[in-house]
């Protein structure tokens, strides 16, 4: 993000897309009709600034877009950083898992994550994570490859390959939530581009539940075309045939 914003200098107007499309236009020499504003008593002696077309475009358009882009990118970066810090303790496997200090850290970090996702996690997260980290250290101690930092994908793979989902249910859910956050974010952004096709003039009275369902069907159209609806149609026909006429 920083590299991208660093490349987009505010004064680098000559390499912008507008200049590339119309290279023969001299923005400095372009003249516009000068508007004479009537001065009032308290205006002072300051001279009015008469901007040419290039400077006016930079101030009113280019600078505004760049400033908005920087603000949005910075805000999104702060949200991503906060989310990463919230889930970072899941992949931090300490040397002494059973110490009182680590137990307190497990409890505090787990409670923050539970408060963020109360419908998905319960109070057993701290104990399950502590036991899971002990299991990870014991698993890799035999091969002398013990390390204190694992990626979330590596830990999720260990749970899946060793089939310990039942013993570490909350840990498994926490890891899968973190690994799918970016996917759900992109899916939500894609849904906005589909709304103009879904919610047209003939569907202005659509409720939120149906709109969500149609949006999901439109976004996942590739998977939808691979699904067979013969059983669904047959069950629907049976229910219709049982109705009394």
């Amino acid at each position: 993000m920083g590299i991208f914003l660093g490349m987009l200098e505010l004064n680098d107007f000559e390499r912008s897309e507008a200049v590339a499309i119309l290279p023969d236009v001299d923005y400095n020499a372009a003249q516009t009709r000068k508007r004479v504003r009537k001065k009032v008593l308290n205006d002072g002696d300051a001279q009015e600034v008469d901007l040419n077309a290039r400077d006016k475009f930079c101030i009113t358009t280019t600078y505004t877009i760049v400033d908005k882009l920087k603000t949005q990118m910075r805000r999104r970066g702060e949200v991503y950083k906060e989310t990463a810090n919230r889930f970072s303790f899941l992949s931090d496997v300490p040397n002494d898992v059973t110490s009182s200090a680590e137990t307190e850290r497990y409890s505090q970090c787990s409670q923050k994550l539970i408060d963020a996702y109360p419908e998905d996690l319960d109070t057993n997260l701290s104990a399950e994570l502590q036991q899971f980290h002990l299991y990870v250290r014991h698993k890799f101690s035999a091969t002398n490859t013990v390390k204190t930092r694992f990626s979330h994908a590596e830990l999720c793979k260990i749970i899946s390959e060793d089939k310990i989902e039942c013993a570490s249910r909350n840990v498994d859910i926490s890891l899968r939530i973190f690994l799918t956050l970016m996917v759900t974010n992109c899916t939500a952004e894609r849904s906005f581009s589909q709304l103009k096709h879904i919610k047209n003039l003939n569907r202005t009275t659509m409720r939120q539940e149906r709109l969500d369902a149609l949006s999901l069907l439109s976004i996942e159209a590739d998977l939808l075309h691979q699904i067979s609806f013969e059983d669904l149609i047959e069950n629907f026909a049976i229910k219709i045939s049982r109705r009394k006429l």
Side-chain angles (χ1 to χ4, degrees), residues 41-241:
L41 183 62
N42 297 326
D43 274 354
D45 298 332
Q47 296 181 355
E48 290 191 25
V49 178
D50 185 19
L51 300 176
N52 55 38
R54 174 192 180 280
D55 295 337
K56 186 175 181 180
F57 180 80
C58 287
I59 293 174
T60 60
T61 304
T62 306
Y63 290 4
T64 304
I65 294 174
V66 173
D67 184 65
K68 185 70 173 180
L69 178 61
K70 291 178 65 175
T71 302
Q72 294 295 332
M73 294 289 285
R74 188 182 299 111
R75 184 180 302 172
R76 176 166 293 193
E78 292 174 355
V79 173
Y80 286 161
K81 183 178 180 180
E82 180 182 355
T83 303
N85 292 334
R86 184 182 299 165
F87 287 87
S88 61
F89 76 102
L90 296 174
S91 59
D92 186 9
V93 182
N95 294 325
D96 189 4
V97 179
T98 58
S99 65
S100 59
E102 293 298 336
T103 302
E104 182 66 20
R105 185 179 69 89
Y106 279 119
S107 178
Q108 294 178 359
C109 296
S110 299
Q111 188 59 45
K112 292 180 181 179
L113 194 60
I114 293 171
D115 294 339
Y117 302 95
E119 297 181 359
D120 302 307
L121 306 173
D122 54 43
T123 55
N124 295 325
L125 174 61
S126 178
E128 289 182 8
L129 182 62
Q130 196 170 8
Q131 293 296 325
F132 175 67
H133 283 175
L134 282 172
Y135 173 81
V136 172
R137 291 195 63 85
H138 177 73
K139 176 182 176 67
F140 288 93
S141 61
T143 58
N144 296 325
T145 58
V146 178
K147 53 184 180 179
T148 60
R149 193 72 179 178
F150 293 83
S151 67
H152 294 80
E154 289 175 342
L155 296 177
C156 190
K157 185 177 180 180
I158 292 174
I159 295 176
S160 178
E161 290 180 348
D162 296 352
K163 301 185 184 302
I164 56 174
E165 293 89 346
C166 295
S168 305
R169 187 184 70 85
N170 287 278
V171 180
D172 183 39
I173 293 175
S174 301
L175 292 172
R176 286 191 285 112
I177 288 176
F178 178 76
L179 294 174
T180 55
L181 276 177
M182 302 306 167
V183 178
T184 54
N185 183 25
C186 295
T187 303
E189 291 180 355
R190 286 181 57 196
S191 65
F192 288 102
S193 63
Q194 295 291 337
L195 284 179
K196 60 183 179 181
H197 302 291
I198 298 171
K199 193 172 182 180
N200 52 33
L201 295 177
N202 297 326
R203 296 172 174 172
T204 54
T205 59
M206 186 189 312
R207 294 184 178 272
Q208 186 65 37
E209 184 178 358
R210 185 186 178 193
L211 179 61
D212 293 341
L214 290 176
S215 300
L216 182 61
L217 292 175
S218 179
I219 294 169
E220 304 297 343
D222 296 338
L223 295 177
L224 183 64
H225 293 159
Q226 300 175 6
I227 299 176
S228 176
F229 295 95
E230 295 181 358
D231 296 337
L232 181 62
I233 296 174
E234 183 178 354
N235 294 334
F236 180 76
I238 293 175
K239 291 182 180 180
I240 293 297
S241 63

